[in-house]
Amino acid sequence: MPTKPSARLAALTVAAVCSAASTVVLTSPAHADSVRIHDIQGDTRISPLAGRQVADVAGIVTGVRTYGSSRGFWIQDPEPDADPATSEGVFVYTGSTPQGVAVGDAVTVSGTVTEYVPGGLTSGNQSLTQISRPTVTVTSSGNALPAPVTLDARSVPAAYTPDGDPAAGGSVNGLRLRPSRYALDRYESLEGMHVRVADTRVVGATDPYTELWVTVKPWENRTPRGGTVYGSYDDQNTGRLQIQSLGPAADFPDANVGDRLAGTTSGPLDYNQFGGYTLVANELGTLRQRGPARETTRKQHARELAVATYNVENLDPSDDTFAAHAAAIVDHLRSPDIVALEEIQDNSGATDDGTVAADLTLAKLIEAVEAAGGPRYAWRSVDPADKADGGQPGGNIRQAFLYNPERVSFTDRAGGDATTPVGVTKVRGKAALTHSPGRIDPAAAAFEDSRKPLAGEFVFRGRTVIVIANHFASKGGDQALTSQFQPPARSSETQRHLQAQAVHDFTAEVLKTQKNAHVVALGDINDFEFSRTTKILQGDGVLWPAIKSLPKSERYSYVYQGNSQVLDQILISPSIRRGCAFSYDSVHINAEFHDQISDHDPQVLRFRP
C-alpha cells in the first residue's frame, strides 16, 4: 500500500536537506558571471557543476516557497540557450524562509551547486539540482516573468522513459535527456522552469497535504468517471502531473476526480519525494466541479449471494467514521450478505498496550449499520498475536467477516487461533475447513509481519461457500514510477508472491477435495489485476479475478498519484465462474473523493450458488 500519512511525516523528517545559511543583498544592476543556469543544469539529470562553487548566476525569481523542509525560491534565465535538453530554471535552497526576495525580482546568486535526493539516497528517487548556501543580490524588482512553457498532449511524449544504463545499476542519471522522445526527459528538461497547464481534468483528488493530480492528456486511458486507468506496467500515463500551491492552504481547491481546473495553472516545475515532477503553482485555475457522484450498487436478488470486500483504513473505537462506514455499507453496497473487512484495529487502536481483541470495534460498526437501516450483522474473526501482523504499531489490524444471519449461516468449527493453521477436510463428501474461522499458514515466512488470510465457511440456501479474506503485504519500499532507476524495482512483490502462492495452494487443496467447491478469495491484495501476484493466485485455473469481467476502463479500486488502479480484488473458483450467473461491481465511493473515509473502494460480487 502506498505511504500512509504518519509514515509520510516521518519520511519528510528523514529527508531533511543540509543546512544552508543565505544572505540577500540589495544593490544596483551588475554584470553577471559567465556561468548561466543552463550550464548548471546540463543535459543530464546530474549537474556537471555539482559540488562546485558558482558566482553571480543571473535569473528572475519565478516562485518563493515559505513552508516545508525545502524552503527557498526558483530563478529562471530569461535568455535561454538553443538546447532543449538544458533547463533554464533552478531552485535556490535557503533552508529557512527566504527574506528580501519576491517574484519578479532580478537577482544574481552565488553558492554551491548540489544534488538533493528527496527521500534520501536509498529511496531511488531522482535528484533535484539546486544552489545551496546562497548569497543573493537583488538587482531590480517588478520584472515580467519568463513566458511559461505549456505542458499539453502535444508537448509531452507518449513514451515514458528510457531504460536505465546497466553499467550504472539501471540509473538514467547519466543519460543525455531526449525531451522530444520521453515524458520524464521532457519534465526533467524543464526542472525549475516556469510552466503552465490549461483547462485540465483532475485525476487524483485533493489530499490532506493540499496536493492534487491533473492530466494534460484528456483522452489518455480515460475512465468513464474522469480518471486515468493504470492497466499495464508498460503504460504509466505520461500526462499525469501533480499540482501544489505556493499560496495559502486554505485557498487550495477541494477537488475530486473528474472535476476540472479551468483556465491557467502556472508556476515552477519541482521534483519531490511524493509524486516526482510537480507544478508548484503561483496561479491556480478555477475549480469546476464536474466529477460524478458516489456510486451505489444494485441490491442482490433473493437467490443471489452478495459478497463484498472493504478496507476500512485502521478503524478503531475512537474513530468518528462509523456512521459514514455504515452508510457506505447500507446505502452504497446495499447490505451485502457477507462483508470481508480489512484494517480492523483492536479495541485500543494504535495505543500499544498489549490489547489484541477487536470485539468493541466490530460491535460499534454493527450497531452503526443497524442504526443506518441495515441488517443486524454477526461477525467472526481471529485475534492476531500482539504486533505480529504489521500495520500501524499497536493497532493489530486484522480481517473480519460481517454476515447477515437472516440470509447466511456461519459454520463454526473450534480451534482457530493466531498460530494454528486451518486445514481442509471432507465432511459428508464435501470440502470443509478444519477450523472456522481459521488462519492460513500463520507461521509461514510469507506472512511474517503481515496479515494472515482468514478462512470461513458459510452456508447460503443449503450450499457451502468458503470465503478467504486477505490483506497482502503493502507496496512500501518499491521504487517510484519517476525513480532514477528504470524500470523501477518492485521489491515488495517478493512477499506478496509467497502470500499468493499460499492462498493458491490452500484453494487448490479445497478443489482437490471437492472439484466443484465454491471458493471466494478476496480482499486488499495490494497488487494489480495484471500483476504476477494475481497470476500466482490464479495458477492453472484455480482462481479467477472477477474484476476482469469489467471493461478495462472500469478496473480500479484505488487512486494513487493520478493512476486509477486495482488493489482490491475478488477471485472466484471455476464452479462460480462457469457454473453460476455472477455480476461484479467496483463501487466508487472513496478513492476519487477528497473527503474519503477510506482510501479504498469496496468491491461486490453477486452470484447464485
Side-chain angles (χ1 to χ4, degrees):
M1 183 179 296
T3 307
K4 291 295 181 70
S6 58
R8 176 168 179 163
L9 290 174
L12 284 171
T13 301
V14 171
V17 295
C18 59
S19 172
S22 62
T23 303
V24 178
V25 180
L26 298 175
T27 185
S28 57
H31 177 69
D33 190 272
S34 60
V35 174
R36 305 277 290 278
I37 293 174
H38 50 250
D39 298 321
I40 293 172
Q41 288 284 8
D43 60 6
T44 70
R45 286 171 168 79
I46 302 296
S47 171
L49 302 179
R52 292 171 56 179
Q53 299 286 323
V54 292
D56 298 329
V57 180
I60 305 294
V61 177
T62 60
V64 179
R65 181 157 57 201
T66 60
Y67 60 87
S69 62
S70 185
R71 303 184 188 193
F73 58 93
W74 290 266
I75 61 173
Q76 182 170 332
D77 192 330
E79 299 179 4
D81 66 5
D83 188 349
T86 57
S87 172
E88 302 295 340
V90 71
F91 184 67
V92 179
Y93 173 66
T94 58
S96 57
T97 300
Q99 303 292 327
V101 293
V103 172
D105 284 351
V107 299
T108 60
V109 178
S110 300
T112 303
V113 178
T114 58
E115 291 288 340
Y116 164 55
V117 181
L121 293 175
T122 60
S123 68
N125 287 328
Q126 296 183 48
S127 61
L128 179 72
T129 302
Q130 59 187 24
I131 301 175
S132 300
R133 299 185 179 277
T135 298
V136 183
T137 300
V138 177
T139 60
S140 66
S141 298
N143 298 282
L145 301 190
V149 176
T150 298
L151 297 172
D152 57 21
R154 292 183 178 181
S155 64
V156 178
Y160 191 63
T161 181
D163 285 345
D165 181 1
S171 174
V172 297
N173 277 348
L175 303 180
R176 175 175 165 79
L177 299 176
R178 291 182 281 178
S180 64
R181 183 168 181 179
Y182 297 110
L184 288 193
D185 285 10
R186 174 61 170 164
Y187 292 131
E188 177 64 20
S189 74
L190 300 173
E191 180 190 273
M193 290 181 62
H194 188 203
V195 300
R196 70 181 288 271
V197 297
D199 298 319
T200 51
R201 191 177 75 251
V202 175
V203 294
T206 302
D207 66 19
Y209 306 97
T210 57
E211 303 162 342
L212 59 82
W213 287 76
V214 299
T215 180
V216 300
K217 296 185 174 183
W219 302 110
E220 184 177 53
N221 297 319
R222 179 171 179 159
T223 73
R225 294 172 58 83
T228 300
V229 75
Y230 181 57
S232 166
Y233 290 127
D234 298 322
D235 191 353
Q236 294 88 347
N237 294 316
T238 60
R240 295 174 302 112
L241 185 65
Q242 186 170 228
I243 305 293
Q244 294 178 341
S245 176
L246 293 171
D251 294 340
F252 199 80
D254 288 331
N256 299 324
V257 170
D259 289 346
R260 301 192 70 85
L261 278 184
T264 294
T265 297
S266 65
L269 186 65
D270 193 23
Y271 181 91
N272 65 42
Q273 178 183 358
F274 299 103
Y277 295 102
T278 302
L279 194 166
V280 188
N282 281 318
E283 177 185 16
L284 270 171
T286 302
L287 181 66
R288 300 284 187 246
Q289 294 179 322
R290 297 181 180 177
R294 286 176 163 86
E295 284 189 332
T296 297
T297 195
R298 71 167 176 83
K299 181 74 174 175
Q300 67 269 31
H301 301 310
R303 299 177 65 87
E304 286 182 314
L305 177 66
V307 184
T309 175
Y310 187 19
N311 184 319
V312 291
E313 196 174 2
N314 290 323
L315 189 66
D316 76 76
S318 68
D319 289 339
D320 60 1
T321 56
F322 282 91
H325 282 303
I329 292 170
V330 175
D331 298 333
H332 294 280
L333 302 186
R334 305 299 297 276
S335 302
D337 301 307
I338 302 169
V339 184
L341 300 170
E342 297 86 50
E343 295 199 25
I344 290 290
Q345 289 198 342
D346 64 37
N347 294 335
S348 64
T351 301
D352 190 3
D353 58 3
T355 300
V356 294
D359 55 308
L360 299 182
T361 309
L362 290 161
K364 193 169 182 179
L365 180 58
I366 288 169
E367 291 167 1
V369 168
E370 188 173 28
R376 179 74 183 181
Y377 281 114
W379 67 271
R380 294 291 188 275
S381 188
V382 174
D383 292 336
D386 189 31
K387 293 188 285 292
D389 281 18
Q392 191 174 24
N396 290 313
I397 56 173
R398 85 290 310 272
Q399 298 89 268
F401 294 122
L402 299 185
Y403 68 95
N404 180 359
E406 297 297 318
R407 297 255 304 159
V408 184
S409 63
F410 189 87
T411 303
D412 287 295
R413 291 197 177 88
D417 58 27
T419 58
T420 303
V422 62
V424 181
T425 187
K426 184 176 286 189
V427 175
R428 293 187 291 275
K430 303 292 185 181
L433 303 179
T434 56
H435 313 297
S436 178
R439 309 217 300 174
I440 295 175
D441 215 0
F447 299 107
E448 183 178 356
D449 198 34
S450 184
R451 281 68 55 193
K452 286 67 173 171
L454 178 71
E457 192 174 320
F458 297 85
V459 177
F460 176 71
R461 299 180 63 86
R463 298 296 302 272
T464 295
V465 179
I466 293 174
V467 182
I468 305 169
N470 302 276
H471 185 185
F472 284 4
S474 80
K475 291 182 176 291
D478 286 0
Q479 292 172 351
L481 291 181
T482 57
S483 169
Q484 65 161 296
F485 299 105
Q486 295 293 335
R490 300 185 296 271
S491 59
S492 69
E493 286 183 338
T494 301
Q495 186 172 16
R496 286 195 300 280
H497 291 172
L498 295 173
Q499 294 174 337
Q501 191 66 57
V503 173
H504 166 274
D505 292 350
F506 184 86
T507 306
E509 185 65 23
V510 172
L511 298 182
K512 181 180 178 181
T513 305
Q514 180 189 344
K515 184 177 181 180
N516 65 343
H518 291 334
V519 182
V520 177
L522 76 175
D524 181 357
I525 303 301
N526 261 321
D527 227 334
F528 315 119
E529 81 280 15
F530 54 81
S531 68
R532 176 67 181 155
T533 302
T534 302
K535 289 180 172 65
I536 292 171
L537 280 168
Q538 290 182 253
D540 188 18
V542 170
L543 290 165
W544 185 73
I547 199 166
K548 286 190 174 181
S549 64
L550 299 179
K552 289 184 178 180
S553 63
E554 298 178 21
R555 297 178 190 172
Y556 63 96
S557 68
Y558 196 90
V559 180
Y560 182 63
Q561 296 185 350
N563 273 330
S564 296
Q565 57 197 38
V566 170
L567 291 186
D568 308 84
Q569 299 197 48
I570 301 178
L571 296 96
I572 55 179
S573 61
S575 63
I576 300 175
R577 182 185 179 189
R578 300 191 182 102
C580 304
F582 75 87
S583 64
Y584 188 91
D585 198 359
S586 183
V587 188
H588 303 304
I589 60 173
N590 285 319
E592 297 172 320
F593 298 91
H594 75 273
D595 55 348
Q596 57 189 227
I597 54 172
S598 167
D599 44 0
H600 295 253
D601 285 333
Q603 314 290 293
V604 179
L605 172 78
R606 294 173 290 262
F607 69 101
R608 295 187 178 188

